[in-house]
Amino acid sequence: MTDPGERLRTSLAADQAVGAEFDSPIAAEAMRATRVLHAADQDPFPRPGRIRVITVANQKGGVGKTTSTVNLGVALAMYGLRTLVIDLDPQGNTSTALGVEHTVGTPSIYDALVSDATLAEVTHPTTASPNLHCVPATIDLAGAEIELVSVVAREHRLRRSIEGYLDELPPEERPHYVLIDCPPSLGLLTLNALVAGDEVLIPIQCEYYALEGLGQLLSNIDLVRAHLNPGISVSTILLTMYDGRTKLADQVADEVRNHFGELVLTAVIPRNVRVSEAPGYGQSVLTYDPGSRGSTSYVEAARELAARGAQLAPASPPPPPPAQPRTAAQPAVRPAVRPVPPPPPPPPAVAALVLGESVAGPAAGGRHAP
């Protein structure tokens, strides 16, 4: 199997070779920046076979969830795919990176989860691309888990908001991708994201600490699939913060690839200071420094993500319920309307997940149409 460090060095050498006619590293970086800035003049990314609702989750903090959500969303939008990014983290870092207002009182995802606001009412445009929209998160979201405890079907609030949003839009305006950025925990907000999504993208930092909680995350995804969302699956794993100067990064990357196989994207996100600087200016790294290694790596990751999405089968509508035959002896009389009982409470395992307790179980994968 190809060494991730070798792939990164080969990619860098290829970029330098293309810019060798200028005999300058600065010229090579300018060439890479031109590619990103003029993405609209290049071939667009292929459209997915169906709308992809992807939950970006990992209960460990600092592994690149928000950074990956922002930069993948911007890359997909810049290359012609309509994208909606939902910030489900009370810290609001995704909103900051996309330059979207998220002060107290701003219409946000909190209003869609707790009150009767529709997702369309809390969706804001971004300056990164006309194809990119964002649902921001405010500090009010920190209390949403407590406020949702007594709400019926609380785990399905986000899914119903997304479905209602997509139904209201005409087909030509519906997003191709919906990316949900989760908080670094396994509470009710993350549970809502797992129920709402059809796929899970897991960013993994190339260090051993990042692998410790991965088994628990996969077990909880399996619990959600068994009890709340039978179509959820881990479809993508992205290696982030790769440091080619250390053998540790290569060892972690090899272990992840050996275990998860084709789920792992070929593109690797290197450690790059430009990626960390960009949010301070309310931008993604693609708009802040399009010629940096971080920018081109996220473009390649988004390209690979889009190529996988193009291979998905179109969503098939649910079959209609079978018609009940009537006979002459059975007149067509509408039965009395009975009140619909509330849904049963979640199983103990899922309740433990909401409370943040550790739950063990096997990991599995699957895929269904949104």
Side-chain angles (χ1 to χ4, degrees):
M1 186 173 293
T2 307
D3 175 21
E6 184 62 28
R7 281 196 302 272
L8 194 60
R9 289 185 286 272
T10 302
S11 176
L12 178 59
D15 280 344
Q16 291 176 343
V18 175
E21 57 182 298
F22 302 102
D23 195 23
S24 169
I26 297 178
E29 182 172 344
M31 175 203 62
R32 294 195 300 266
T34 302
R35 291 178 184 172
V36 176
L37 290 175
H38 296 276
D41 299 329
Q42 304 176 41
D43 292 336
F45 288 167
R47 296 185 176 185
R50 58 176 182 259
I51 298 174
R52 300 183 70 182
V53 183
I54 302 178
T55 299
V56 183
N58 192 331
Q59 77 271 23
K60 186 181 185 305
V63 299
K65 289 188 301 298
T66 297
T67 301
S68 298
T69 303
V70 168
N71 291 294
L72 289 176
V74 172
L76 291 169
M78 292 179 68
Y79 281 84
L81 298 178
R82 295 185 297 273
T83 306
L84 174 67
V85 173
I86 299 177
D87 189 356
L88 209 60
D89 188 346
Q91 298 177 82
N93 295 144
T94 298
S95 309
T96 299
L98 291 176
V100 177
E101 183 68 31
H102 60 101
T103 55
V104 176
T106 302
S108 66
I109 189 62
Y110 169 84
D111 301 290
L113 290 177
V114 177
S115 64
D116 296 329
T118 64
L119 208 59
E121 295 173 342
V122 298
T123 300
H124 301 256
T126 66
T127 57
S129 170
N131 288 326
L132 181 64
H133 289 76
C134 174
V135 180
T138 64
I139 192 62
D140 295 333
L141 193 60
E145 295 199 13
I146 298 176
E147 296 182 51
L148 289 174
V149 166
S150 59
V151 176
V152 175
R154 60 188 180 225
E155 303 89 357
H156 297 266
R157 299 284 293 183
L158 181 59
R159 184 180 186 92
R160 292 178 179 176
S161 293
I162 294 176
E163 290 176 346
Y165 174 77
L166 297 177
D167 290 341
E168 292 176 359
L169 291 175
E172 65 274 9
E173 296 181 10
R174 292 173 183 169
H176 299 107
Y177 283 82
V178 178
L179 304 180
I180 308 173
D181 181 33
C182 295
S185 66
L186 292 176
L188 189 54
L189 292 177
T190 300
L191 183 59
N192 259 270
L194 293 176
V195 173
D198 303 307
E199 308 173 42
V200 180
L201 185 152
I202 305 178
I204 298 180
Q205 183 182 5
C206 291
E207 294 184 3
Y208 277 110
Y209 278 149
L211 302 178
E212 286 191 343
L214 191 56
Q216 182 183 1
L217 174 63
L218 296 175
S219 299
N220 288 331
I221 292 174
D222 187 55
L223 283 172
V224 172
R225 179 169 50 251
H227 301 289
L228 296 171
N229 183 7
I232 190 72
S233 66
V234 178
S235 65
T236 310
I237 292 179
L238 177 64
L239 295 171
T240 63
M241 303 182 187
Y242 176 83
D243 190 347
R245 301 170 299 177
T246 65
K247 289 186 177 181
L248 173 63
D250 288 341
Q251 293 172 356
V252 174
D254 287 341
E255 285 193 16
V256 173
R257 291 187 184 278
N258 291 334
H259 184 75
F260 293 101
E262 295 182 353
L263 295 181
V264 186
L265 293 179
T266 303
V268 179
I269 310 302
R271 282 192 179 274
N272 186 261
V273 67
R274 297 301 191 187
V275 176
S276 302
E277 289 176 354
Y281 296 87
Q283 300 182 50
S284 68
V285 69
L286 279 79
T287 54
Y288 174 68
D289 189 357
S292 65
R293 293 303 305 167
S295 174
T296 53
S297 297
Y298 270 114
V299 169
E300 290 307 311
R303 190 188 308 275
E304 191 173 352
L305 187 67
R308 295 185 179 189
Q311 301 174 2
L312 297 178
S316 56
Q324 296 293 334
R326 291 188 315 208
T327 63
Q330 295 177 337
V333 178
R334 179 173 299 178
V337 178
R338 296 181 179 179
V340 179
V350 179
L353 188 154
V354 175
L355 295 176
E357 299 176 3
S358 176
V359 184
R367 179 176 296 168
H368 83 305

